[in-house]
Amino acid sequence: EKGTADDNLSKIAGKNILISLGGTFEEIDPIRGISNRSSGRMGFELARVFAEKGAEVSLITGPTQQIIEHSNVIRYDVKNAAQMYDKTVECFENCDIAILSAAVADYTPKSTFDTKLKKKTDNLVVELVPTKDILAELGRRKKENQILVGFALETDNELENAKEKLTRKKLDCIVLNSLNDQGAGFNVPTNKVTILDAKGNIYNSDLKSKYEVALDISEKILNL
């Protein structure tokens, strides 16, 4: 089985792979902002797997402490959802496979403050507006020879929500994370995922290291 997987992965040598990862930071003032607990580690392990097999990887990352050093990886650091949208759309044009594992903010402050807000006794109300939907935009732009993979992090109705997202955003494959699975999700070295493709196939991984899960995801993508 391992030999078959290695042979399959070797076919991606020279292909252009786009991977987005990490969270975003939506600024309220120069000090504060809205973010999430994504470390970006799953995306970095995916980048490592594809780079080791000879693919050219464009890595678009939100703020993270993760580091990768590989000659096949070009890293682009962005801060907020708008910057991630712009860079992802730009890189998507020439990629063969796009894997969007980033935890992008769904909302961002309508306006920001130029100086630090001082604490007062009154309530503070920050109006939020929707960010641009990166996955949906790539689904609209996707050419016949491109593969588009999304991620879904769910807490309830996991499979139903993932299937709906897969169809609505015109994805070829979606990787489902459930926060109900112990040892999976944010800021842990392991993961457990369910992989669904547009043909109706479903694969459930065991709890493994995130590198091993990245190998599973890579193989399932290439089976498409």
Side-chain angles (χ1 to χ4, degrees):
E1 268 184 32
K2 185 178 184 299
T4 303
D6 285 345
D7 290 343
N8 199 14
L9 285 170
S10 69
K11 296 175 185 177
I12 67 169
K15 298 290 186 182
N16 294 313
I17 313 296
L18 165 63
I19 300 175
S20 72
L21 56 90
T24 60
F25 184 86
E26 309 303 314
E27 188 175 286
I28 295 173
D29 68 16
I31 307 298
R32 306 176 184 89
I34 299 170
S35 189
N36 58 61
R37 295 189 292 118
S38 175
S39 68
R41 184 167 181 172
M42 190 69 248
F44 271 89
E45 297 295 10
L46 281 164
R48 197 180 313 279
V49 165
F50 280 107
E52 287 173 353
K53 300 302 178 181
E56 300 292 333
V57 179
S58 295
L59 194 65
I60 304 173
T61 173
T64 177
Q65 301 297 315
Q66 301 295 323
I67 296 174
I68 184 170
E69 294 182 359
H70 197 289
S71 58
N72 286 3
V73 177
I74 299 176
R75 174 171 173 164
Y76 302 97
D77 286 274
V78 299
K79 183 177 181 181
N80 56 39
Q83 292 170 355
M84 184 164 283
Y85 176 94
D86 290 342
K87 196 65 187 177
T88 304
V89 169
E90 175 190 333
C91 292
F92 183 66
E93 181 67 22
N94 297 313
C95 81
D96 298 297
I97 301 171
I99 305 170
L100 273 63
S101 66
V104 184
D106 292 322
Y107 295 91
T108 191
K110 184 176 181 179
S111 58
T112 59
F113 298 87
D114 294 330
T115 58
K116 179 185 175 184
L117 290 170
K118 299 299 183 182
K119 185 175 181 179
K120 298 179 181 179
T121 56
D122 297 336
N123 291 344
L124 172 66
V125 177
V126 177
E127 184 178 358
L128 303 178
V129 295
T131 57
K132 291 181 180 179
D133 192 321
I134 301 175
L135 260 182
E137 180 61 25
L138 298 194
R140 286 191 289 269
R141 292 171 177 257
K142 182 164 69 82
K143 297 187 283 285
E144 194 172 324
N145 62 339
Q146 290 179 306
I147 291 175
L148 180 58
V149 180
F151 271 61
L153 178 64
E154 302 290 344
T155 58
D156 58 276
N157 299 319
E158 292 97 335
L159 273 177
E160 292 84 353
N161 289 336
K163 288 178 181 178
E164 188 273 336
K165 185 175 182 179
L166 174 71
T167 302
R168 176 168 49 87
K169 301 199 177 182
K170 301 178 181 178
L171 309 179
D172 298 289
C173 180
I174 192 165
V175 180
L176 169 63
N177 271 118
S178 171
L179 286 184
N180 295 318
D181 290 327
Q182 191 168 2
F186 292 149
N187 294 304
V188 289
T190 55
N191 206 359
K192 180 182 179 182
V193 301
T194 301
I195 305 170
L196 304 86
D197 67 32
K199 297 177 182 178
N201 298 310
I202 299 177
Y203 167 77
N204 294 292
S205 81
D206 297 324
L207 186 67
K208 305 177 181 181
S209 72
K210 287 188 173 177
Y211 181 82
E212 291 173 311
V213 172
L215 285 170
D216 286 347
I217 294 170
S218 302
E219 184 180 354
K220 298 306 175 186
I221 291 171
L222 292 169
N223 284 340
L224 298 174

